[in-house]
Amino acid sequence: MSQAIAYPYADAQPEFGQLFEIREGVYWVRMPLPFALDHINLWLIKDEWQGQKGWTLIDTGVNTSKVKAYWEEIFSQHLEGLPILRVVVTHMHPDHVGLAGWCCERWQAPLFMSMTDYLFTRLWIDAADDEGGGPNGRAAARFFKQHGLLDEALQTDIAQRASYFPNLVTPIPRQFHRLTNGESLQMGGHDWRIIVGYGHAPEHVALYCEALSLLISGDMVLPRISTNVSVFDYEPEGDPLGLFLHSLRDFEPLPEDTLILPSHGRPFVGLHTRLEQLHSHHRDRLQECLAACATGLTAFELLPVLFKRELDVHQLSFALGEAIAHLHRLWFQGVVRRDVDAKGCYRFYALGPV
């Protein structure tokens, strides 16, 4: 029987700009986010690399003056006078990679990422026009229109957000160290095995240390919310939800008592229970989506089924991407068909009774 989810530190957590020791030499840092999800957890590991003592930083927060100020406080008061030796990024979303370039430049430290997420970060930062990337920009607006977003004001709002990603992410180094699935990264005198996951980001890196019984899970396994899994214009017929659910299987061999260090929420134990909950959650959502397809609908029309709250334009882009991901999972399973309606929108119909 799987262990119930528990929070070893209860409500304890570091204040912004402070450190909280998880294991000897492993520290928890929290930084604010300018979103409804208002914080991110980051990690500092006391380390030695290439003969020098210092720290390895895992994820960085977004590029805002407030987050930079908190980092300067940490750098000056909590690192024992030692430098940042390396910057490791779990994936390319702004709350994780946002200040990676700034930290690398400030400390002359190398960047460690997966190849795919490094290239996506470079691509979205260096975009030369207002096409944008992922949930923002003109390409996103055109793509979402295909899936039923016909409101011209909302289309304009999304189209005008092409600079959203570059504004939150500092330019990253032109060279990096590649992280690949199954290899080990030495940090703090211990081996950390890389577990790559798909669906939430192109090539998401989680880090497992058997000696310390720790998993830095990034966004792949969160304690209370299910990570966003979306279809966007750059892979318009992708099946990220299928990839995400398959990726969760790679965490199942980890011991039950592993302490999970998530990017959002509190550190917890009960990994197998949480994995079961995530699979169950998506089974339920897929069944709801299939039932909603009985008479045919677009992804935009599916939003009230999946999301019961009012959505701002930032949330709408991710919500619509996730609605498409659920419809595509059903489509890949062969239980719905996809037609183009009279308005040029994709409409999904259940095949058989539901």
Side-chain angles (χ1 to χ4, degrees):
M1 184 174 181
S2 297
Q3 176 181 346
I5 292 175
Y7 300 92
Y9 304 106
D11 293 329
Q13 59 187 15
E15 298 294 329
F16 297 145
Q18 303 296 313
L19 272 59
F20 185 105
E21 191 167 25
I22 295 290
R23 297 279 195 271
E24 184 178 0
V26 179
Y27 293 85
W28 173 16
V29 178
R30 293 173 75 249
M31 290 292 178
L33 292 176
F35 318 128
L37 186 62
D38 63 1
H39 74 281
I40 182 170
N41 301 325
L42 315 169
W43 315 98
L44 276 165
I45 297 178
K46 200 168 185 180
D47 205 1
E48 184 172 344
W49 190 61
Q50 295 186 339
Q52 187 177 9
K53 294 183 182 297
W55 300 81
T56 290
L57 168 61
I58 302 171
D59 288 341
T60 66
V62 296
N63 176 28
T64 66
S65 58
K66 180 182 292 187
V67 175
K68 283 182 177 178
Y70 283 127
W71 273 124
E72 292 292 0
E73 181 179 347
I74 289 173
F75 295 158
S76 64
Q77 298 183 23
H78 300 295
L79 299 189
E80 303 174 11
L82 297 173
I84 299 294
L85 300 175
R86 295 181 288 181
V87 177
V88 177
V89 173
T90 59
H91 62 292
M92 51 78 65
H93 293 156
D95 48 337
H96 299 263
V97 75
L99 284 174
W102 175 76
C103 289
C104 289
E105 182 177 9
R106 190 189 186 289
W107 293 102
Q108 295 300 294
L111 174 66
F112 289 67
M113 290 181 74
S114 70
M115 170 70 83
T116 314
D117 280 55
Y118 172 80
L119 293 176
F120 258 83
T121 304
R122 288 285 303 274
L123 177 67
W124 287 11
I125 288 175
D126 295 341
D129 54 32
D130 58 356
E131 286 292 286
N136 303 297
R138 292 191 305 180
R142 290 194 300 269
F143 176 64
F144 290 147
K145 181 179 180 180
Q146 287 183 304
H147 284 275
L149 179 61
L150 300 178
D151 184 295
E152 292 185 0
L154 288 175
Q155 291 175 20
T156 299
D157 286 344
I158 292 170
Q160 291 177 343
R161 287 165 57 86
S163 62
Y164 180 81
F165 186 90
N167 287 343
L168 290 177
V169 180
T170 56
I172 60 174
R174 298 192 66 84
Q175 298 177 328
F176 79 114
H177 293 251
R178 184 177 184 178
L179 301 178
T180 60
N181 188 51
E183 76 169 330
S184 289
L185 188 64
Q186 269 271 330
M187 297 189 296
H190 299 289
D191 286 333
W192 294 75
R193 178 163 58 86
I194 294 166
I195 304 174
V196 165
Y198 302 94
H200 174 64
E203 193 180 1
H204 180 293
V205 167
L207 296 153
Y208 170 63
C209 181
E210 181 178 11
L212 298 175
S213 192
L214 291 177
L215 172 68
I216 297 176
S217 65
D219 282 347
M220 285 298 295
V221 184
L222 303 175
R224 294 187 181 274
I225 61 174
S226 176
T227 191
N228 178 263
V229 178
S230 287
V231 177
F232 294 126
D233 68 274
Y234 55 81
E235 192 183 4
E237 297 195 349
D239 180 24
L241 182 53
L243 293 173
F244 176 74
L245 294 173
H246 181 76
S247 294
L248 292 182
R249 303 295 182 192
D250 292 333
F251 295 95
E252 291 177 358
L254 302 189
E256 183 69 25
D257 62 354
T258 301
L259 178 63
I260 313 303
L261 306 182
S263 291
H264 308 283
R266 292 174 288 157
F268 70 99
V269 293
L271 172 63
H272 296 163
T273 293
R274 186 58 185 145
L275 294 176
E276 292 166 5
Q277 289 175 351
L278 289 170
H279 282 290
S280 177
H281 166 79
H282 285 291
R283 278 195 302 269
D284 291 346
R285 296 295 82 74
L286 287 169
Q287 190 57 43
E288 290 177 1
C289 292
L290 182 58
C293 289
T295 56
L297 84 173
T298 66
F300 185 75
E301 292 167 346
L302 182 63
L303 290 179
V305 176
L306 293 178
F307 303 96
K308 310 303 182 185
R309 64 187 186 279
E310 187 174 347
L311 303 169
D312 60 28
V313 66
H314 173 76
Q315 296 164 337
L316 174 65
S317 295
F318 288 101
L320 189 48
E322 186 145 350
I324 301 167
H326 280 77
L327 291 171
H328 277 201
R329 179 84 290 260
L330 296 173
W331 186 37
F332 275 78
Q333 289 175 332
V335 296
V336 302
R337 76 174 195 271
R338 189 183 75 176
D339 295 339
V340 178
D341 65 19
K343 295 180 179 179
C345 300
Y346 289 126
R347 191 168 291 272
F348 295 80
Y349 296 84
L351 296 173
V354 293

